[in-house]
Amino acid sequence: SGSGRRWKKNIAEQLRLRDRVQRQGFEDLIQAYNKLLEKSDLQTVLAERFQGDKYDLHNRHDISPGSDNMRNESLAQEVSQMRIRHQEELTELHKKRGELAQNVIDLNSQLQQKDREIHANEAKMLEYEKQIQQLQVECQDLRNNLQDLGQANQTLKDEYDALQITFNALEEKLRKTSDENRELITRWMAEKAQEANRLNAENDKDTWRRQAKLKKELAEAAKEPLNIDPCCYRNPWVSVTLTFFFQDAHDGEVNSVKFSPASRVVVTGGTDRKVKLWEVSLGKCELKGSLTGSNAGITSLEFDSTGAYLLAASNDFASRIWTVDDSRLRHTLTGHSGKVLSAKFLLDNARIVSGSHDRTLKLWDLSRKICKCLL
């Protein structure tokens, strides 16, 4: 309604402006035309007067042709001058009439141009009015959307504030829980360390007692030859003296001795980081070769069920596998954080279990070379 009133008011102002402009131009034209009409009437009056004067002169000439010749001549001259003057005025009036006609044509052309401009402006005004209405509708929609977004933003802000408060509370709870967890871990590690030290001390004592007992038994056995009963072993041909065998085997202590299940080979491992292969034949023990690769003393030796592979545990936190035939190192199993005390083949010969000073057991899959920690 407000836009309609503004549109009507604008049209009325345009019409009034056109009326003033066009009327102002036509006022001069109308005045000039009125003057032209007045002069035309004056010409008519003069012509009528001239005809009357001429008629009077003829009449007077007919009445007194002899006595008034001088007077008639003066009157004729006066009429001639009047005719010349009237002719000049008539020429001037025709000239002005042509000028006024041209002015009328020019003003009509300008008027038509103005009318076209007014029509074009009116069409543009209608188009602009439609655009204004569309923009007003869009503006109202945007205001509504802005209001909805403002409400949604306020709702999200409230939710964010609530979540922030909850997050701060949970973060504080997490911090306290982390502190308690670290404290518990510290206490647990201290207790485990104490327990590990105690167990290691007991293991060291047991190891020392076993070694002392083994030395004692070896010393007693070295005093006389040891005859092996063929019914007690898979190798009935073994008959050696332990005195010769253990005195010349290694540079240091011998920690493990194993017989091969499928040959006459005996392996020994000691603190000199070597694994030696011995062939027993006819009461003699001859060195067949040495297996190298360990960086610390050997703690345990084990053959697989076929006797083709030899497994050795070491104090360098690793276990190693050799092939007996060519004395080549095939696998090195690393993963313990302490010295490996024992390593054994399982029944399928594809898996190995190892035990370490770090109080863990590890299961090794040789087919895929994957280590799985059991404990």
Side-chain angles (χ1 to χ4, degrees), residues 22-264:
Q22 294 178 355
R23 187 176 62 186
Q24 183 177 0
F26 279 105
E27 284 179 354
D28 298 336
L29 181 62
I30 291 169
Q31 291 177 1
Y33 192 73
N34 290 330
K35 291 180 179 179
L36 181 62
L37 290 176
E38 291 177 358
K39 291 183 178 181
S40 178
D41 294 337
L42 179 60
Q43 182 182 4
T44 303
V45 172
L46 291 175
E48 291 177 354
R49 183 183 301 175
F50 176 73
Q51 291 294 332
D53 294 338
K54 186 177 179 181
Y55 180 72
D56 293 337
L57 287 174
H58 283 295
N59 289 333
R60 282 188 288 215
H61 178 70
D62 293 336
I63 295 173
S64 57
S67 59
D68 296 330
N69 286 331
M70 295 299 292
R71 183 178 178 184
N72 290 334
E73 290 178 0
S74 62
L75 182 60
Q77 292 177 358
E78 183 180 355
V79 170
S80 178
Q81 291 176 359
M82 185 180 296
R83 181 181 294 175
I84 293 171
R85 188 169 56 253
H86 289 170
Q87 188 66 34
E88 292 176 355
E89 291 178 358
L90 183 61
T91 302
E92 184 69 22
L93 289 174
H94 281 297
K95 183 179 179 181
K96 288 184 178 180
R97 183 180 178 180
E99 293 176 355
L100 291 175
Q102 185 64 38
N103 290 333
V104 169
I105 292 171
D106 295 338
L107 291 174
N108 285 329
S109 177
Q110 293 178 4
L111 181 61
Q112 291 175 0
Q113 182 66 26
K114 296 295 182 182
D115 288 335
R116 287 193 295 269
E117 292 178 358
I118 289 173
H119 289 303
N121 291 330
E122 288 177 353
K124 289 183 180 179
M125 288 176 61
L126 291 175
E127 184 178 357
Y128 290 154
E129 187 67 26
K130 291 180 181 179
Q131 292 180 0
I132 289 171
Q133 292 177 358
Q134 293 177 358
L135 292 175
Q136 286 177 350
V137 173
E138 292 178 0
C139 184
Q140 185 63 33
D141 294 338
L142 291 175
R143 289 194 189 95
N144 296 331
N145 293 333
L146 181 62
Q147 186 176 2
D148 295 339
L149 290 175
Q151 294 177 357
N153 186 27
Q154 184 63 35
T155 302
L156 292 175
K157 186 176 182 301
D158 296 338
E159 293 179 357
Y160 172 78
D161 294 338
L163 291 174
Q164 187 67 30
I165 294 172
T166 305
F167 173 76
N168 293 333
L170 292 175
E171 190 176 19
E172 181 64 21
K173 186 177 179 180
L174 177 62
R175 187 185 63 78
K176 293 181 179 179
T177 305
S178 300
D179 294 340
E180 294 176 357
N181 187 32
R182 283 194 295 270
E183 184 180 357
L184 290 174
I185 290 174
T186 303
R187 290 170 54 190
W188 180 77
M189 291 297 293
E191 293 178 358
K192 291 293 286 184
Q194 294 177 0
E195 183 68 17
N197 292 331
R198 185 179 64 80
L199 292 176
N200 291 334
E202 293 179 357
N203 291 333
D204 292 339
K205 289 181 181 179
D206 292 339
T207 302
W208 182 80
R209 283 195 295 268
R210 287 196 299 270
Q211 290 179 354
K213 183 178 179 181
L214 181 61
K215 288 180 180 179
K216 183 178 179 181
E217 292 177 352
L218 292 175
E220 293 176 355
K223 294 178 181 180
E224 56 184 11
L226 179 62
N227 294 324
I228 301 175
D229 189 358
C231 299
C232 298
Y233 298 95
R234 296 181 182 178
N235 300 322
W237 38 264
V238 177
S239 176
V240 296
T241 59
L242 294 178
T243 302
F244 171 78
F245 187 83
F246 285 103
Q247 283 179 350
D248 299 335
H250 293 271
D251 295 336
E253 296 179 355
V254 178
N255 294 331
S256 181
V257 179
K258 280 291 178 179
F259 283 93
S260 172
S263 65
R264 300 178 181 181

Side-chain angles (χ1 to χ4, degrees), residues 274-287:
K274 296 180 180 179
V275 176
K276 293 187 177 183
L277 284 77
W278 307 85
E279 185 174 1
V280 180
S281 177
L282 300 176
K284 296 182 181 180
C285 190
E286 296 181 357
L287 181 62

